[in-house]
Amino acid sequence: MNDVDHWSEEDSSSDDNDLYDDTPQIRPQKATIPTVLQAGFDSYFLHQGKVAKTSPAVFSSQVEPLSAEEYADAIKSASEKYNLTYRASSAIQESLAHQFRRFLLELEQGFNLLFYGYGSKRALLNRFAVEVCSKRGHVVVLNGCQPKASIKDLLTAIEAIPAVQKFAGSAEAATGNSNESQLARIRACFASSDVKPLFLLIHNIDSPNLRSPKVKSQLAALASHTRIHLIASIDHVNAPLLWTSTECSTRKRENTDEESLSYHVPGFSWLWHDLTTMASYDFELAHADRSSYAGASMNSRTGRGGPASLTAGNMVMSESAAQHILASVTQKAKKMFKLMATKQLEVMEEDGEGKTQDDFERYGISYDTLFTSVRDNFIATNDTAMRTLLGEFRDHNLIVGAGTGGAEILWVPMRRERLNKIVKGLDVE
Amino acid sequence: MTPEQCLDDLSQTTVYIPYSEPGEEETESYSSCADKDLPGGYELRFDSYKQAWAKCFTRMQEVSHAIYSPVASNIVAQIREAFTNVLPGLPYPELPVFAVSGQSGDSPILQNVVVQLEDGNVEDDVTPARVAHLHPADCMNIMLTMKSMIHGFVSASPEGSTKRKSTASLAAYDIELLNAWYTYSVTEQEGMQLVVVMHDFEQFEPKVVQDLFNVCSLYIPRLPLVFVLALSSPPEPSYLHNTYPRATLALLRIHNITVTSHVEVVEQLLVKTFFDPAFDPGIMVGPVTLDFLHDYFTRHNRSIDVVTTILQLAFMKHVDEPLTLFLFDSNLNCSNEKSALRKLTKPESFPFLEYLFTRVLSSQTGQQQSRWKSDRNDLSSLLGVITDCRVNFHEQCQKFRVGFCLLLRVRKFVLDLGYKSVESGEDGESPMAIMSRGLRGRLTKDWKHLGSVIKKLNLDQLSGLLDALEWFFADLPDGVFEDEEKDRKWVERKRASLLGLGQASSDQGGQAFETLADEVGEWFVEYSAERLTRRLDEARLWDIWYTGSTPFPSELINPAPRAHITSALLHPESYADQIPCFAKSDGSVSNDVEGEAPAVWELPDTSILFRGYLEAGKMINVFDWYQSFAAVLETQRDKELRAGDQKKADGSPCDEAAHERRRDSDEEEMEDGEEMEDEKWGMEVQARFIRGVHELDFMGFLKHTGRKADHVTRTVFDVTEQ
């Protein structure tokens, strides 16, 4: 790609000559020009060499997370007062829409289109699909930005097109339900000129679900078909690294008769278009966890609920979520939770106030100890009852554990202040 | 639910929009310059483009086929002999492996090989081979690799694709399955070979490939398996020998095949398509496109597909110019001139007509101009002028091609004789660079130098040169052959007199020979000067048929998405028509900073955060970031309140007393409300912060390493002008 920084150095040849020249000279004073222009990688090393000076403050202990409703309300009221994002000038929007016809001709000339640039491109591309592409053939849209989106969804959606269904029922179609057989059927179906061409619109083809080599090769198999046109968008700054230059440039093979020739090289033959809309990514981020600053990151999204992600300090239980869970469990379960939380709070208080309390595992209580005190308080008389009580909390991650059996350590993944509030709330009840 | 509703449904991962017949109101026509275009002009021009491109593309395919098919036939012949032509006395049979180096994924040579293998040869009674393709993505482990290889062979045949009972059949990855299938198939097709083509061989996991070779070597020659490896690395140092252990290499019989370098192929493609007197490409590419092609091809991606793409895009860009409607004829794609004239006289065609008129007028001499001005209605002769220009351009272009080819021929001849001095020039003098210089009219030095070299040639050399020239003229296509009659005859005469000189006595002959050599040298200089001095863009209305120095739209294949995103975040004002923070949702704008770069507080949230991001070190403490963001928003709020107050003061000059009364009563309420307001504001700031951070995270600017509590790592360190 073009994103290469340029390195410029002052020419030093004149200085070399001076070494051999003894006659004193009066030099005109040069203006101080930076001899080396800093490039991206210089900047990287410059930063790596320094110690990162940041304050010890911890965001999640200083700022209470917003619940989904609070977030929605706040954004709504803020957007009433301010326009939170620039609306890309209507002229730009219109000029982009004006190019739809050109995009279509490019698609028909055997290219696939890839749109980049800051801002959500969904609305504009959807408009392109509805207004232009659907007049030329079948259109299938895949919202790659959704965490559940997968290539299987796309293939299944394509197979649900009536024309493809009809073909799949015929004798010459390949059987089987694997992605490969589906691909073979789809390719064979669209090879016939009786079926209208297929336009695939993939929002965020750079989404983690579509990045693996396997998925990429399957997408390439679709993209390299002459009668399947791919329109895709990317938002990640490093998304161009997904494809090798060969994959980017490999053209669709015209007149490839699938029956007689097994040779086909999958590739995307991208044409890149800048589609900076400046629109907000609200739809794309609708699945993000707005209660955490790291909620948009896929790592926390896929790992949600697992103890590992909780101990990493990225995920903590919010107060309102805990209240919801507690409101729906039995009295006994509540009692058990209170007992456990009080014990955890005691340990936390012993530990002192100044420390950051991220590693909740340290404040955990062993299963055996908890069971003894639960039995002493007549909350649960046997192990099965105790496990039933714990079950509900575990399912909702209000109580998490590590280890197995009696040696298991259990804890509530909540900060002290919040846990305190919850316990007080239970006392009032 | 309509598709439009489905598209906004968060729970849907895929949406199907069925095909609908295009209605009356089609999408409006595209035009890059609507003010001087014909209605629907782009589509008409696009048709001409398609015609021109189809012609060029076919030609390029023919040329590349002509270059590659002998090489491919050679490889195919070797593959066919792989099991018959083996070294005698080997302790065990070796697995034949053909390593074809210098191949990019889309190589036409492999395609050629596969086609020839699958076709078989009816005359020589050769059974077509079966070919399976392996791609690195399908071969993550040995099981998948075996499965896709066996599937590749078995599924291609009708008897193999029948559904097998899973309990009563071998596993899909078991080579015994292939063995069984082969034993069955070979009864029908004797001597059938099994060829495995491994694309992008360097991308395969070596451990997996080792296992594959091990398994397959156990079954040869029972299963006549032949491997063809498409390597993109050069033959030296050998990737195979560097990567695989001796134990694996010992199983293989490696044939290294190096194919003609792609650079030479591209040069031939370009010469035969755009500089061949026997072929008229319709649109002539200009030096800028050729330079870009040379640069991109040598620097980024050496594949023939890239050349095709670049030329195609140059053609597509060329038809953006409204006048290219006249690319092939002057009838505006109508059946005859009459309907073309009718089309031109429609009111909506006036902008185009005006533009056409201006262009044609500026291309005429003074006398013609005054005649044109007096008779604006003579549209028929206007179209006639364009036809004349077309004929002129094509004549000039043809002359240029002949001159250029002759120059190349003489240059090659002289180079072969060992005159390296003719090579000295810019850019190491690849033919691509010469083409571009030729189109720029900068070959004077070259032909003068060649002329002086010709004068120095000895008798045999000169006779060889005259032979070559005679052949050159004889090879010209019919139309051109007659045009070059004079020069052809001249060369013939000189050749005859040279033959005569060979028999004459040495003294007389020496002087006469020198005169003759001088004459040939002079003739060459004159001939070249006549054809190559005048640049193509000096012809009238040249831009209809010649791309000239139009810049190539390189961002279509070599974009800078990262730079675009950072610049949009840093300078959103250049993309937006209003500064948002003073602009209320009703759309009213109340700022006076137009033309100036906006202050940080005027930027949208994500941009404010991005400024903070760029100022931070390698790690960012989220809380620090949050606080700086909150401070900026505080300024924003203050400014907004002040602007609001100002507005009130300006807008409603109510009486002071009433205003005072209201302020007193408001104050008490305000104190209660202030706390609520502050809390609400805090939440808004937090929500906006989270939203902005999520957007940056989504675009890949942040990395959550978890190394320090609530810190994120920067991923972008680009130095940008702020």
Side-chain angles (χ1 to χ4, degrees):
Chain A
M1 292 300 111
N2 234 351
D3 298 320
V4 179
D5 299 292
H6 298 283
W7 176 270
S8 75
E9 269 184 86
E10 200 184 35
D11 189 16
S12 60
S13 58
S14 61
D15 294 348
D16 295 343
N17 294 338
D18 290 350
L19 290 173
Y20 305 100
D21 192 357
D22 289 334
T23 43
Q25 284 178 357
I26 300 167
R27 283 192 178 185
Q29 289 240 322
K30 276 186 188 172
T32 47
I33 311 163
T35 45
V36 176
L37 201 71
Q38 219 179 62
F41 48 84
D42 297 318
S43 175
Y44 172 78
F45 286 114
L46 211 70
H47 280 107
Q48 288 299 312
K50 281 187 203 157
V51 181
K53 278 183 196 156
T54 54
S55 77
V58 177
F59 181 75
S60 38
S61 64
Q62 303 267 4
V63 184
E64 238 176 83
L66 292 176
S67 68
E69 299 82 48
E70 284 168 341
Y71 172 84
D73 289 346
I75 287 293
K76 199 179 159 206
S77 77
S79 57
E80 277 166 12
K81 282 184 265 175
Y82 309 92
N83 286 330
L84 298 184
T85 41
Y86 273 132
R87 283 200 298 261
S89 67
S90 46
I92 292 181
Q93 290 266 7
E94 268 322 295
S95 79
L96 290 171
H98 181 62
Q99 294 198 41
F100 282 174
R101 182 93 192 122
R102 190 196 170 93
F103 293 157
L104 181 72
L105 292 173
E106 285 175 352
L107 285 173
E108 285 173 348
Q109 282 303 297
F111 293 103
N112 294 312
L113 304 182
L114 190 64
F115 294 94
Y116 61 90
Y118 170 50
S120 171
K121 295 162 268 294
R122 260 192 84 256
L124 210 56
L125 290 182
N126 279 343
R127 203 177 131 194
F128 176 53
V130 173
E131 287 179 11
V132 183
C133 300
S134 69
K135 306 279 188 294
R136 294 286 186 287
H138 306 280
V139 183
V140 174
V141 185
L142 175 70
N143 288 322
C145 47
Q146 293 194 6
K148 278 182 195 159
S150 67
I151 180 92
K152 192 80 191 165
D153 290 352
L154 181 70
L155 295 175
T156 316
I158 299 173
E159 286 219 295
I161 297 174
V164 187
Q165 274 179 343
K166 199 172 149 197
F167 176 83
S170 66
E172 69 251 53
T175 50
N177 205 24
S178 66
N179 286 4
E180 285 75 20
S181 348
Q182 280 186 310
L183 270 176
R185 272 201 298 272
I186 293 166
R187 284 181 64 89
C189 171
F190 284 99
S192 113
S193 53
D194 302 336
V195 182
K196 292 272 171 213
L198 174 65
F199 291 85
L200 287 180
L201 170 55
I202 301 182
H203 296 296
N204 289 99
I205 197 166
D206 54 350
S207 107
N209 298 341
L210 305 175
R211 277 184 209 165
S212 74
K214 186 103 192 145
V215 174
K216 235 170 61 185
S217 81
Q218 287 166 356
L219 282 176
L222 286 174
S224 56
H225 194 286
T226 41
R227 299 191 75 245
I228 298 178
H229 308 289
L230 181 61
I231 305 142
S233 68
I234 51 169
D235 284 304
H236 199 281
V237 276
N238 292 330
L241 300 176
L242 273 176
W243 304 284
T244 62
S245 56
T246 313
E247 281 172 325
C248 281
S249 66
T250 303
R251 298 292 305 271
K252 301 182 180 196
R253 299 270 166 241
E254 298 278 338
N255 309 324
T256 304
D257 188 355
E258 297 280 326
E259 295 295 316
S260 67
L261 183 63
S262 64
Y263 191 88
H264 95 268
V265 182
F268 288 94
S269 72
W270 289 130
L271 275 196
W272 302 68
H273 284 282
D274 178 15
L275 204 73
T276 303
T277 63
M278 314 288 290
S280 73
Y281 288 111
D282 285 341
F283 185 91
E284 284 86 345
L285 290 169
H287 295 269
D289 174 15
R290 299 295 195 173
S291 63
S292 155
Y293 72 88
S297 165
M298 274 294 172
N299 294 334
S300 69
R301 204 185 290 175
T302 46
R304 175 184 288 180
S309 67
L310 291 166
T311 48
N314 283 340
M315 283 282 300
V316 280
M317 181 60 63
S318 76
E319 208 178 301
S320 61
Q323 276 164 349
H324 277 295
I325 300 164
L326 285 169
S328 56
V329 294
T330 57
Q331 278 301 321
K332 272 189 180 172
K334 260 189 219 171
K335 268 189 193 167
M336 190 203 67
F337 179 80
K338 198 183 139 195
L339 190 84
M340 187 180 152
T342 322
K343 283 197 187 286
Q344 185 173 327
L345 276 173
E346 278 167 18
V347 188
M348 278 176 156
E349 245 142 71
E350 275 170 29
D351 202 43
E353 287 205 355
K355 291 181 185 170
T356 53
Q357 295 164 338
D358 281 331
D359 187 7
F360 299 113
E361 197 174 342
R362 289 191 293 144
Y363 311 116
I365 180 170
S366 80
Y367 180 83
D368 284 343
T369 324
L370 182 67
F371 180 56
T372 320
S373 37
V374 164
R375 202 175 44 196
D376 294 348
N377 284 296
F378 303 105
I379 298 168
T381 47
N382 56 42
D383 188 61
T384 322
M386 165 89 172
R387 290 207 181 269
T388 321
L389 290 178
L390 275 175
E392 190 69 18
F393 292 119
R394 278 191 209 250
D395 287 349
H396 293 94
N397 293 317
L398 188 52
I399 293 179
V400 283
T404 49
E408 190 180 2
I409 304 288
L410 301 165
W411 69 92
V412 184
M414 281 180 99
R415 287 177 211 291
R416 202 181 59 195
E417 310 81 49
R418 274 177 224 155
L419 193 57
N420 225 337
K421 270 192 196 169
I422 296 280
V423 174
K424 275 182 192 155
L426 285 175
D427 280 342
V428 173
E429 279 177 28
Chain B
M1 230 194 283
T2 62
E4 284 83 352
Q5 286 168 323
C6 284
L7 285 170
D8 292 326
D9 186 354
L10 272 173
S11 60
Q12 307 268 348
T13 52
T14 53
V15 181
Y16 168 56
I17 307 169
Y19 166 73
S20 58
E21 290 288 338
E24 283 294 299
E25 37 179 298
E26 262 279 70
T27 324
E28 60 174 311
S29 163
Y30 164 78
S31 177
S32 55
C33 35
D35 52 337
K36 49 188 181 185
D37 205 353
L38 203 66
Y42 186 72
E43 284 68 26
L44 291 180
R45 294 197 301 272
F46 210 79
D47 286 341
S48 311
Y49 144 79
K50 278 185 194 161
Q51 199 183 331
W53 175 244
K55 205 169 144 190
C56 269
F57 186 63
T58 320
R59 171 77 174 181
M60 283 165 68
Q61 278 191 321
E62 281 166 11
V63 174
S64 94
H65 187 76
I67 299 169
Y68 282 126
S69 65
V71 190
S73 309
N74 182 23
I75 299 177
V76 170
Q78 287 191 47
I79 291 176
R80 292 231 164 96
E81 284 181 356
F83 283 96
T84 49
N85 185 17
V86 284
L87 289 171
L90 287 173
Y92 53 85
E94 290 174 334
L95 195 64
V97 168
F98 292 81
V100 189
S101 0
Q103 298 299 296
S104 56
D106 57 330
S107 167
I109 198 139
L110 275 183
Q111 191 181 354
N112 234 316
V113 169
V114 171
V115 173
Q116 290 193 26
L117 280 173
E118 289 187 335
D119 271 0
N121 196 335
V122 188
E123 287 164 25
D124 298 345
D125 202 18
V126 178
T127 323
R130 284 282 160 83
V131 184
H133 298 266
L134 291 183
H135 293 276
D138 307 329
C139 302
M140 305 310 266
N141 55 42
I142 182 67
M143 216 152 94
L144 287 174
T145 314
M146 292 302 293
K147 199 174 149 185
S148 36
M149 184 183 86
I150 295 166
H151 181 78
F153 288 122
V154 176
S155 66
S157 68
E159 64 273 16
S161 56
T162 48
K163 205 170 166 64
R164 295 186 307 275
K165 245 195 218 170
S166 57
T167 46
S169 126
L170 291 160
Y173 52 82
D174 194 339
I175 198 166
E176 283 296 347
L177 177 68
L178 185 65
N179 197 8
W181 167 83
Y182 185 75
T183 323
Y184 171 77
S185 318
V186 88
T187 50
E188 291 167 14
Q189 294 172 312
E190 207 176 327
M192 179 176 73
Q193 275 186 326
L194 302 175
V195 181
V196 185
V197 183
M198 298 178 86
H199 298 270
D200 291 326
F201 185 69
E202 285 93 340
Q203 306 276 326
F204 282 89
E205 182 63 40
K207 286 245 163 77
V208 175
V209 178
Q210 277 178 37
D211 290 347
L212 175 72
F213 286 154
N214 265 323
V215 173
C216 292
S217 69
L218 297 174
Y219 281 80
I220 47 168
R222 237 183 316 156
L223 285 175
L225 282 161
V226 181
F227 284 83
V228 178
L229 317 179
L231 291 151
S232 47
S233 52
E236 284 295 329
S238 161
Y239 169 81
L240 264 176
H241 290 89
N242 275 339
T243 318
Y244 291 93
R246 189 156 283 276
T248 307
L249 294 174
L251 301 174
L252 314 176
R253 177 147 185 243
I254 301 167
H255 304 255
N256 282 313
I257 295 167
T258 316
V259 184
T260 337
S261 93
H262 279 190
V263 184
E264 286 165 31
V265 176
V266 170
E267 280 161 1
Q268 285 207 38
L269 268 182
L270 290 176
V271 169
K272 294 252 168 84
T273 314
F274 295 100
F275 296 91
D276 189 350
F279 180 75
D280 175 21
I283 298 173
M284 184 71 189
V285 286
V288 176
T289 308
L290 283 181
D291 285 349
F292 178 80
L293 177 70
H294 181 241
D295 192 53
Y296 191 81
F297 184 79
T298 45
R299 267 211 229 173
H300 296 279
N301 192 349
R302 294 196 168 210
S303 94
I304 303 290
D305 271 356
V306 162
V307 180
T308 322
T309 304
I310 291 176
L311 292 175
Q312 192 175 0
L313 289 177
F315 273 41
M316 275 163 93
K317 159 115 188 174
H318 183 67
V319 295
D320 274 350
E321 161 64 41
L323 286 190
T324 46
L325 257 179
F326 300 108
L327 195 62
F328 288 109
D329 55 41
S330 309
N331 288 349
L332 299 168
N333 285 32
C334 300
S335 51
N336 53 32
E337 197 184 299
K338 231 180 196 175
S339 30
L341 289 177
R342 213 174 302 136
K343 198 177 210 173
L344 272 183
T345 43
K346 281 184 187 163
E348 59 266 28
S349 311
F350 284 171
F352 174 72
L353 194 61
E354 193 63 40
Y355 175 62
L356 174 67
F357 195 73
T358 325
R359 283 298 312 278
V360 172
L361 205 63
S362 62
S363 73
Q364 304 291 315
T365 56
Q367 196 189 355
Q368 282 165 320
Q369 275 189 11
S370 53
R371 190 167 61 83
W372 272 101
K373 277 178 187 161
S374 64
D375 190 9
R376 266 178 173 248
N377 294 328
D378 188 7
L379 287 180
S380 175
S381 60
L382 185 75
L383 296 183
V385 169
I386 293 167
T387 312
D388 290 347
C389 288
R390 184 182 307 109
V391 173
N392 281 340
F393 180 83
H394 282 291
E395 269 173 16
Q396 193 191 334
C397 207
Q398 193 65 286
K399 273 192 167 180
F400 176 83
R401 283 191 196 116
V402 178
F404 187 78
C405 279
L406 187 94
L407 182 104
L408 281 188
R409 182 71 68 91
V410 173
R411 184 174 176 272
K412 188 170 177 293
F413 182 84
V414 172
L415 268 178
D416 289 346
L417 289 179
Y419 287 91
K420 294 289 173 205
S421 62
V422 293
E423 213 174 20
S424 63
E426 303 145 18
D427 307 322
E429 281 308 86
S430 71
M432 257 196 261
I434 302 183
M435 282 177 224
S436 145
R437 275 200 299 134
L439 289 170
R440 287 196 165 99
R442 289 186 197 154
L443 285 176
T444 322
K445 247 193 215 167
D446 296 57
W447 73 64
K448 280 191 178 154
H449 185 62
L450 281 172
S452 64
V453 171
I454 292 173
K455 289 177 191 169
K456 289 179 205 153
L457 295 179
N458 63 29
L459 188 83
D460 289 342
Q461 290 170 337
L462 191 66
S463 137
L465 177 70
L466 286 174
D467 274 351
L469 290 178
E470 212 176 330
W471 274 112
F472 173 79
F473 283 116
D475 282 347
L476 288 177
D478 286 346
V480 193
F481 188 78
E482 284 93 51
D483 293 345
E484 302 294 325
E485 189 76 14
K486 194 182 114 213
D487 294 292
R488 189 172 60 84
K489 290 245 165 89
W490 189 88
V491 170
E492 267 174 25
R493 270 204 309 279
K494 291 296 150 190
R495 191 163 164 266
S497 47
L498 191 72
L499 282 175
L501 275 180
Q503 291 145 9
S505 65
S506 60
D507 265 5
Q508 274 182 341
Q511 212 168 8
F513 169 73
E514 268 175 31
T515 328
L516 186 78
D518 279 354
E519 275 175 18
V520 176
E522 291 295 327
W523 168 84
F524 176 73
V525 172
E526 266 174 39
Y527 185 87
S528 303
E530 189 195 329
R531 280 158 175 79
L532 298 176
T533 316
R534 202 168 158 226
R535 292 203 318 260
L536 293 178
D537 53 8
E538 284 167 10
R540 285 189 296 156
L541 297 178
W542 57 271
D543 52 344
I544 302 181
W545 305 279
Y546 177 48
T547 65
S549 337
T550 326
F552 182 80
S554 61
E555 67 284 355
L556 283 176
I557 49 169
N558 188 25
R562 198 172 154 138
H564 268 97
I565 294 178
T566 43
S567 87
L569 280 169
L570 274 177
H571 305 287
E573 70 279 1
S574 51
Y575 290 85
D577 53 0
Q578 52 187 1
I579 303 291
C581 99
F582 283 155
K584 297 295 181 57
S585 40
D586 60 1
S588 60
V589 183
S590 63
N591 68 74
D592 51 0
V593 286
E594 209 169 285
E596 284 173 33
V600 179
W601 59 268
E602 288 171 310
L603 295 172
D605 295 351
T606 315
S607 289
I608 298 174
L609 282 169
F610 189 64
R611 291 279 169 114
Y613 175 90
L614 286 181
E615 281 163 21
K618 61 179 174 182
M619 282 189 115
I620 307 172
N621 182 333
V622 181
F623 186 70
D624 295 355
W625 202 11
Y626 172 63
Q627 280 196 316
S628 74
F629 177 72
V632 176
L633 287 202
E634 205 58 54
T635 322
Q636 200 179 77
R637 188 192 189 194
D638 282 353
K639 299 264 180 187
E640 196 247 348
L641 282 176
R642 228 174 287 160
D645 285 351
Q646 185 77 31
K647 225 180 200 179
K648 257 185 221 163
D650 293 348
S652 57
C654 54
D655 70 308
E656 275 297 306
H659 192 67
E660 200 64 31
R661 272 201 307 278
R662 202 167 60 227
R663 194 187 291 167
D664 286 343
S665 61
D666 281 356
E667 248 166 39
E668 286 163 28
E669 286 169 30
M670 261 170 72
E671 265 171 35
D672 295 335
E674 215 163 80
E675 237 172 78
M676 286 280 287
E677 195 63 32
D678 274 351
E679 201 181 318
K680 208 176 152 201
W681 171 248
M683 268 163 60
E684 276 178 24
V685 172
Q686 195 185 340
R688 287 167 70 176
F689 174 73
I690 293 283
R691 189 173 187 248
V693 170
H694 281 184
E695 284 202 357
L696 288 178
D697 199 357
F698 180 67
M699 288 186 282
F701 284 100
L702 308 180
K703 203 168 130 191
H704 303 274
T705 53
R707 216 178 298 161
K708 242 172 152 184
D710 286 1
H711 275 64
V712 288
T713 311
R714 275 176 70 173
T715 56
V716 171
F717 290 90
D718 291 350
V719 181
T720 34
E721 255 181 76
Q722 290 201 22

